[in-house]
Amino acid sequence: MSASEPMFDRLEPLLARVQRPARYIGCEVGAVQPDWSKCEGPDGDRVVRWLLAYPDTYEIGQPNQGLQILFEILNERSDALAERTYAPWVDLEDEMRSAGLPLFSIDTHREASAFNLLAFNLSAELTYTNLLNMVDLAGVPVRSRDRGPEHPLVIAGGHCTYNPEPLADFLDAVVLGDGEEVVGEVTEVVGEWLAAGSRDRTELLRALCGVEGVYVPAAYEVTYDGDGADALVESVEACWETAPMPVPKRTLPDLAEWPYPQSQMVPLTEVVHDRLNVEVFRGCTRGCRFCQAGMITRPVRERPAEQVSAMVREGLARTGYDEVALTSLSSADFSGIAETVEEIVESDTEGRISVSLPSLRVDAFGVDIAAQVQKGRRTGLTFAPEAGTWRMRQVINKLIREEDLYGAVDSAYSQGWRRVKLYFLTGLPTETDEDTLGIARMAENCVTIGKRHMRNPSVTVSVGGFVPKPFTPFQWFGQNTEEELHRKIGLLRDALRRNRNVAFKWHDSRASVVEGMLSRGDRRLGSAIESAWRKGATFQEWSECFSLEMWQEALAEEGLRPEHYAYRHRTEDEVLPWEHLDAGLHKDFLWQDWTDALQEVGLPDCRWTPCYDCGACTGWGVEHVVASAVPPAGGSQGTGQDLDTGGLLPEVVAVPVEVRT
Amino acid sequence: MRVRIRYGVEGKVRFLSHRDVARVMERAIRRAAVPVAYTEGFSPRPKVQYGLALSTGYESDGEYIDIYLDPERQGVRDPREIALALTVCLPAGLEVLAAAEVPRQATSLQDSVESTQWRVLLDVTGGGAMGGLAQQVDELLASESYEIDIIRKGKPVSEDLRPLVHALRVTAPSGGGPAVLEAELGTKPRSIRPSELLGALGVSEPRLVRRTHQWTRRDGDRREPLALGDLSPRAEACAS
């Protein structure tokens, strides 16, 4: 049987034995159908076949908008086609391995070997072992250097690729930044290589180096200042002429030209974020110093409000969804937010459509918008103050005043919400126990406010251990040790134990250690990743599968340790493993912002205050695309308003908080 | 107004769970602009009544839902047009086979169905295995009671299979191919699953299980809640 023929009949008997088989059938309503007849035409041999892969389960990966956007764009082209694949859960993997079945696409159920590219979306470090596993299941050698011309090219995009170094041995190429345009250029290069009938993989990789935004790890040589566990990167040199230094990221100047996905597919089985998603802007200049997404996706590019409305209207009619999410890193900051929400609410004559804003701003304005869109049962509202004291929030540049939060919470309880959920980070730079315990104090104050409106208000506190990320001001910060994070979580648990209105949740600090190492690691970590994978450490994002022991063994075998990769403070002159990549941010801006952080100096949002030259706009000929020159109503976070009063009102329980209506 | 839809399940979509199919149906109803009524309360749900659940992995020629229409809402009301509109909005493999109005007061699908009929394809290799299976079928049919151990609500219980097996027949493949097991299984006082019957017969992995019919009874006659091809505006068949 030819690899390009569907293989569903061989998969079918296996599906009868596994949990939730619906996640392997595809068949989504509205999904664009990949057209294999393109491969039959006169130029059929140069049609580039992409297998877009998400290294986690279908339920997690299917809603990923980036993957759906590229799926549509590629299938629209006459010289490309794309299908999708997700990590098979362990039960199906076992069945596949014993039946000798390879990784398959879920659109028309073809073997991975029918494709020219295996292109991964990398959104989380803990999925790296799944990537190796899927490459292996595809019948492809996990290390690039062992692959031949018959194997698909293994590439990756997504936020984690801003430091792809731990995966350098496994990835043939990496794409930095927005994918909409670059996938077309990659298609053309691969198509030419196919048409020329070349068997030389290196030739293809050399050509790919010429595509702006593409990084080919094999084209760079990394030297270290020693060979012990604590060796540092000494230099990174381009060893091919075609290899750029540094490698720039891609940035779409205008989102309006890319109204994708145009036909968001509706899954037949349950997935996360199962709703219509419309991206209202990309990029964020709030400047939260812990937030990698906000740093690497600059500048802010808004979608015109009319286009948002049209995409919402058409999307709801086409999909049959009764919920639409306006997505971005901070949707309440969208210039047209009030009008857009109003239009959706007004056009919904039967009152069945709900609108969600995945990142609600912490102020009464945010609550007012939530009230406008959430007409049904008001169960819970989520805010992310991130830190428990004003001092700490100045360090991380999340400039929410206590009064903003308490105003928002008061407004939420007074309008009928019964539960408030608060997200925090612990293990932040300069954090003291007083800062950590500030989280408990804030939660208790929220309960007190809630009791003015109802007998039994509920506050959920969710705490994650902070993991520093590349291309943020905190990239030089030594992460808290596992023991320290564990101790801080214990402090909070003890402090909140007696308050029966507060529910306390926390992330596993052991997983934060592994995430931290992978996030800022260098190429030497690759063998430890491979070793952990060979021990069976897949699905490490899933608490039932996570195994710190496997990672510890793998690291020990390779002579590496978390103290070096995760817990160590970096100095200004250290060569960072990702320094040959360019996220658009000047290194001196990031260093300045880091020193500002240590001095508790906040930095306002540059959309409405003067430019501080982070590099995102100036170096790239793009600018913020914002429809409104004035900051959004309400709220002080980074808008340059009233920052100096932020520390006031610490004892809100004693002060009557103005109820905003 | 209450409209009954009969639909089939075939191909890849047989791996959907009962809950998945319900969600797919509700979205299709919304996209097809069928003026479905909604329940009262904080989170209104479309008023759709489901028949007996079909196990994940099985195909069917006879699945049913009842859709309650809201007299106040505009939209497609004619059962034939509803059938056409839904067909367009459903994924390949979920196909509307018949539609008709039923009286509002008619017994619910779950209560009115008394037996279900199945067609199972089995990979039986060799005449010996086939003979063994045929013998087991004969023994089961000849017995007065046939206790099996099954799991119900997480607990092992013993259940008499015999009264629930209304008909059972196994035929040898003529000229190769899978053996065919046909069974009619009772649903009262509670249903027996095809997998439980197959387990009792020592079959662990059938190639394909397909529900071919669901039967109601009225005046001693066996009828389907909606006959195939029945697109008439009013189905008398189920006005029980």
Side-chain angles (χ1 to χ4, degrees):
Chain A
M1 187 186 310
S2 152
S4 60
E5 293 301 313
M7 51 161 274
F8 190 72
D9 55 339
R10 285 187 289 150
L11 180 64
E12 231 173 344
L14 276 47
L15 292 186
R17 298 180 205 139
V18 301
Q19 290 173 33
R20 309 197 56 187
R23 54 187 161 182
Y24 307 112
I25 64 169
C27 300
E28 293 93 341
V29 175
V32 172
Q33 285 306 303
D35 178 9
W36 283 79
S37 70
K38 286 176 191 169
C39 305
E40 310 295 322
D43 288 327
D45 58 341
R46 62 179 304 160
V47 170
V48 178
R49 308 159 179 188
W50 292 70
L51 183 54
L52 304 175
Y54 194 93
D56 209 324
T57 61
Y58 177 82
E59 295 89 311
I60 308 292
Q62 193 280 342
N64 184 278
Q65 294 296 289
L67 202 139
Q68 288 200 30
I69 289 170
L70 300 185
F71 178 75
E72 281 190 15
I73 289 174
L74 287 165
N75 279 315
E76 276 176 12
R77 295 179 67 98
S78 61
D79 61 351
L81 66 82
E83 299 217 10
R84 298 164 295 140
T85 189
Y86 305 89
W89 188 247
V90 287
D91 57 351
L92 183 61
E93 184 198 337
D94 287 346
E95 296 283 350
M96 287 164 67
R97 287 193 187 275
S98 56
L101 239 62
L103 185 73
F104 55 88
S105 68
I106 65 147
D107 295 283
T108 65
H109 293 92
R110 283 170 159 89
E111 295 184 9
S113 58
F115 297 85
N116 307 116
L117 291 140
L118 184 51
F120 286 92
N121 176 308
L122 283 186
S123 308
E125 292 83 357
L126 290 174
T127 65
Y128 288 177
T129 48
N130 283 11
L131 180 142
L132 265 62
N133 201 37
M134 290 172 77
V135 171
D136 182 60
L137 274 171
V140 177
V142 291
R143 290 191 175 255
S144 308
R145 60 157 192 259
D146 299 330
R147 292 175 198 146
E150 71 278 21
H151 294 123
L153 215 56
V154 179
I155 71 171
H159 289 183
C160 287
T161 57
Y162 281 94
N163 178 23
E165 291 303 272
L167 293 175
D169 292 344
F170 316 111
L171 295 173
D172 295 314
V174 169
V175 173
L176 302 179
D178 298 330
E180 282 92 338
E181 294 172 335
V182 72
V183 288
E185 294 160 32
V186 170
T187 296
E188 281 161 25
V189 170
V190 176
E192 269 172 43
W193 182 79
L194 290 172
S198 174
R199 303 277 295 162
D200 184 352
R201 254 178 114 82
T202 308
E203 186 189 312
L204 174 58
L205 293 177
R206 279 177 194 273
L208 282 171
C209 283
V211 176
E212 190 181 319
V214 174
Y215 166 56
V216 175
Y220 299 81
E221 193 171 47
V222 181
T223 52
Y224 301 88
D225 65 358
D227 47 16
D230 296 338
L232 297 173
V233 172
E234 195 168 63
S235 69
V236 181
E237 306 281 345
C239 37
W240 297 348
E241 253 174 50
T242 50
M245 180 65 91
V247 184
K249 72 163 177 176
R250 293 297 290 257
T251 304
L252 279 193
D254 188 0
L255 228 51
E257 288 176 19
W258 298 91
Y260 289 87
Q262 293 187 322
S263 176
Q264 190 188 313
M265 52 184 98
V266 183
L268 304 186
T269 189
E270 213 167 347
V271 299
V272 301
H273 311 315
D274 194 5
R275 61 195 179 201
L276 180 69
N277 292 293
V278 175
E279 186 183 27
V280 295
F281 65 84
R282 203 171 288 179
C284 180
T285 42
R286 285 279 174 188
C288 303
R289 290 175 175 132
F290 55 86
C291 177
Q292 187 192 33
M295 293 287 164
I296 61 179
T297 59
R298 294 173 176 209
V300 172
R301 290 144 293 152
E302 288 194 350
R303 194 181 290 290
E306 319 82 72
Q307 193 179 53
V308 170
S309 298
M311 289 173 78
V312 170
R313 198 169 51 240
E314 288 158 21
L316 288 173
R318 193 182 50 244
T319 58
Y321 273 127
D322 56 7
E323 182 183 355
V324 54
L326 302 176
T327 66
S328 73
L329 292 168
S330 176
S331 295
D333 288 343
F334 179 53
S335 303
I337 191 67
E339 296 81 359
T340 305
V341 166
E342 199 178 310
E343 196 183 318
I344 299 171
V345 171
E346 275 177 12
S347 65
D348 172 32
T349 49
E350 296 187 332
R352 308 217 190 284
I353 303 298
S354 69
V355 184
S356 55
L357 303 168
S359 42
L360 195 62
R361 221 169 62 207
V362 188
D363 57 31
F365 174 69
V367 178
D368 286 347
I369 289 192
Q372 202 180 345
V373 299
Q374 218 170 339
K375 279 172 294 190
R377 184 163 35 183
R378 291 177 175 174
T379 46
L381 214 49
T382 304
F383 300 103
E386 309 288 2
T389 58
W390 172 246
R391 189 199 76 79
M392 193 76 259
R393 290 193 298 278
Q394 280 180 303
V395 171
I396 64 175
N397 206 42
K398 181 96 185 187
L399 301 171
I400 298 161
R401 297 172 302 178
E402 306 262 319
E403 69 170 18
D404 290 323
L405 175 71
Y406 297 143
V409 167
D410 188 273
S411 173
Y413 283 125
S414 72
Q415 294 185 68
W417 273 280
R418 288 172 299 173
R419 191 179 70 233
V420 163
K421 197 170 174 185
L422 304 172
Y423 277 117
F424 293 97
L425 289 168
T426 189
L428 291 162
T430 77
E431 186 179 29
T432 63
D433 284 357
E434 193 186 328
D435 294 317
T436 311
L437 289 167
I439 294 172
R441 190 178 48 84
M442 253 184 164
E444 282 159 357
N445 288 344
C446 289
V447 170
T448 308
I449 292 168
K451 282 187 174 165
R452 294 178 195 159
H453 302 285
M454 63 194 65
R455 195 187 301 177
N456 223 355
S458 154
V459 174
T460 301
V461 172
S462 181
V463 175
F466 171 60
V467 176
K469 295 287 162 89
F471 294 109
T472 67
F474 291 168
Q475 65 182 350
W476 289 281
F477 172 65
Q479 183 178 331
N480 278 191
T481 61
E482 196 259 317
E483 294 76 16
E484 178 68 353
L485 285 178
H486 190 76
R487 186 187 69 82
K488 286 177 175 174
I489 286 164
L491 276 181
L492 279 173
R493 204 178 36 204
D494 289 345
L496 290 170
R497 185 169 284 156
R498 257 159 296 157
N499 195 323
R500 59 184 188 87
N501 293 88
V502 181
F504 182 58
K505 295 178 178 171
W506 62 93
H507 290 278
D508 186 351
S509 53
R510 297 172 312 151
S512 304
V513 181
V514 179
E515 185 187 336
M517 294 184 65
L518 297 174
S519 143
R520 291 187 297 167
D522 55 32
R523 292 186 177 190
R524 299 182 308 156
L525 265 178
S527 36
I529 296 172
E530 184 178 344
S531 171
W533 162 63
R534 291 198 186 279
K535 292 175 195 301
T538 55
F539 290 106
Q540 297 297 284
E541 289 254 282
W542 297 71
S543 56
E544 69 260 45
C545 299
F546 177 76
S547 165
L548 184 60
E549 296 69 34
M550 287 188 198
W551 286 100
Q552 284 167 334
E553 284 170 30
L555 290 166
E557 284 165 20
E558 303 304 325
L560 302 172
R561 45 194 209 114
E563 287 75 9
H564 177 70
Y565 286 109
Y567 303 153
R568 183 176 57 86
H569 290 296
R570 275 71 164 166
T571 56
E572 188 179 7
D573 56 355
E574 182 172 334
V575 179
L576 301 168
W578 50 91
E579 216 160 285
H580 52 299
L581 308 181
D582 191 348
L585 302 153
H586 297 317
K587 192 179 180 185
D588 57 4
F589 158 72
L590 290 174
W591 181 262
Q592 180 64 47
D593 208 34
W594 171 226
T595 53
D596 283 353
L598 296 176
Q599 287 160 35
E600 300 161 22
V601 176
L603 184 66
D605 191 319
C606 63
R607 270 172 290 188
W608 305 292
T609 56
C611 171
Y612 43 74
D613 194 20
C614 69
C617 297
T618 42
W620 304 87
V622 285
E623 283 182 13
H624 294 297
V625 181
V626 185
S628 168
V630 290
S636 63
Q637 304 149 58
T639 57
Q641 307 164 22
D642 309 329
L643 288 189
D644 53 346
T645 64
L648 301 183
L649 279 178
E651 296 302 326
V652 70
V653 252
V655 181
V657 174
E658 180 194 352
V659 181
R660 306 183 192 194
T661 50
Chain B
M1 185 174 167
R2 175 175 168 188
V3 174
R4 178 160 296 175
I5 304 286
R6 174 171 177 169
Y7 64 95
V9 180
E10 193 170 66
K12 293 178 182 177
V13 294
R14 73 184 170 96
F15 291 108
L16 297 179
S17 70
H18 184 62
R19 273 186 57 186
D20 290 336
V21 172
R23 192 172 32 238
V24 169
M25 281 292 171
E26 284 172 22
R27 278 185 190 146
I29 287 167
R30 203 155 42 225
R31 289 170 59 224
V34 175
V36 62
Y38 278 79
T39 59
E40 304 287 321
F42 268 131
S43 31
R45 303 296 317 156
K47 278 181 93 169
V48 178
Q49 223 174 52
Y50 295 89
L52 298 170
L54 182 72
S55 295
T56 306
Y58 292 176
E59 293 190 331
S60 178
D61 300 308
E63 298 306 298
Y64 298 90
I65 54 169
D66 282 356
I67 305 171
Y68 291 80
L69 302 187
D70 182 343
E72 309 289 314
R73 292 179 62 200
Q74 303 289 310
V76 188
R77 315 191 79 86
D78 175 59
R80 181 187 298 265
E81 285 174 27
I82 289 177
L84 290 173
L86 274 182
T87 299
V88 175
C89 298
L90 287 169
L94 282 180
E95 195 190 350
V96 178
L97 303 171
E101 186 182 347
V102 296
R104 278 196 76 89
Q105 306 314 322
T107 317
S108 77
L109 283 162
Q110 298 222 4
D111 287 339
S112 61
V113 170
E114 297 192 357
S115 67
T116 55
Q117 196 166 326
W118 302 86
R119 186 179 153 85
V120 183
L121 301 186
L122 303 168
D123 292 307
V124 181
T125 46
M130 184 62 209
L133 185 59
Q135 195 185 338
Q136 273 192 295
V137 166
D138 289 341
E139 278 173 20
L140 196 157
L141 290 174
S143 65
E144 273 185 21
S145 75
Y146 201 98
E147 294 284 326
I148 56 166
D149 297 320
I150 55 174
I151 307 288
R152 278 293 140 88
K153 292 177 180 163
K155 286 182 188 142
V157 292
S158 191
E159 181 93 21
D160 185 5
L161 185 62
R162 184 63 194 89
L164 293 168
V165 179
H166 296 189
L168 186 62
R169 189 163 75 113
V170 64
T171 41
S174 56
V180 179
L181 186 92
E182 283 168 294
E184 187 185 334
L185 302 178
T187 62
K188 303 281 168 81
R190 58 173 176 229
S191 309
I192 193 86
R193 298 178 186 133
S195 60
E196 290 159 353
L197 168 69
L198 292 170
L201 297 172
V203 177
S204 57
E205 291 202 335
R207 183 189 288 193
L208 194 64
V209 181
R210 189 176 181 112
R211 175 141 70 188
T212 52
H213 302 277
Q214 300 193 41
W215 298 112
T216 62
R217 255 167 241 280
R218 195 163 63 104
D219 307 332
D221 286 342
R222 196 174 74 162
R223 293 163 183 266
E224 295 187 284
L226 209 58
L228 269 184
D230 191 348
L231 289 164
S232 67
R234 197 158 193 92
E236 295 297 332
C238 45
S240 50

